[in-house]
Structures are given as C-alpha cells and as structure tokens.
Amino acid sequence: MDRAQPGTTYRVDRIPEEDPDLLRFLVEQAVLPDERVTVVEASPHRGVITIKTRLGEGTLGYAVASRIWVHLT
C-alpha cells in the first residue's frame, strides 16, 4: 500500500499478522482483508499515508503501509 495513489480506492488483500499490537490497530481502523480503503493523501516527505475506511480517516506510516497488500477495486 506504500505505492498507493491519492484519491484511489483499494481492496485490502492481506495485512501483517505477526505483531499483535499492529494487528489490533488495523482491526480498530477497519484495515482488514476484503475491506475498502481510500487513500486521501500520500506524504512521503512526512512519512505517512492518510486513509479513509468505513470507520473514518486515519494515518499509516509508510513502514506499515508497505506490509499491507491491496488491489484496485
């Protein structure tokens, strides 16, 4: 997801499951397989991606985003 383009909606294919704290955060943000995620803003200079899910907006660091697999809807 670290290469995602602003204004584009993606469907999540896979999320990292080996880190319980990260997994809990992703669940709380509705960043889960088969959920839709829209990239609101991608800011490599700030190191974050702003996303919108069915629960609202949130941010992900590029390190986390690079571990989330997505495809275009």
Side-chain angles (χ1 to χ4, degrees):
M1 184 166 187
D2 59 330
R3 296 186 188 129
Q5 297 297 310
T8 306
T9 299
Y10 299 89
R11 185 171 301 275
V12 177
D13 287 327
R14 185 183 300 177
I15 60 173
E17 298 178 1
E18 63 278 353
D19 180 339
D21 292 331
L22 176 56
L23 183 58
R24 186 172 18 266
F25 170 77
L26 294 174
V27 168
E28 290 170 356
Q29 299 298 312
V31 179
L32 300 165
D34 295 322
E35 291 280 352
R36 292 180 184 201
V37 175
T38 301
V39 177
V40 176
E41 181 181 4
S43 301
H45 59 282
R46 289 187 12 221
V48 297
I49 296 175
T50 304
I51 60 168
K52 183 176 180 182
T53 68
R54 62 180 169 79
L55 298 179
E57 286 192 9
T59 57
L60 299 173
Y62 271 80
V64 170
S66 70
R67 298 168 59 198
I68 300 170
W69 295 15
V70 296
H71 69 273
L72 288 172
T73 58

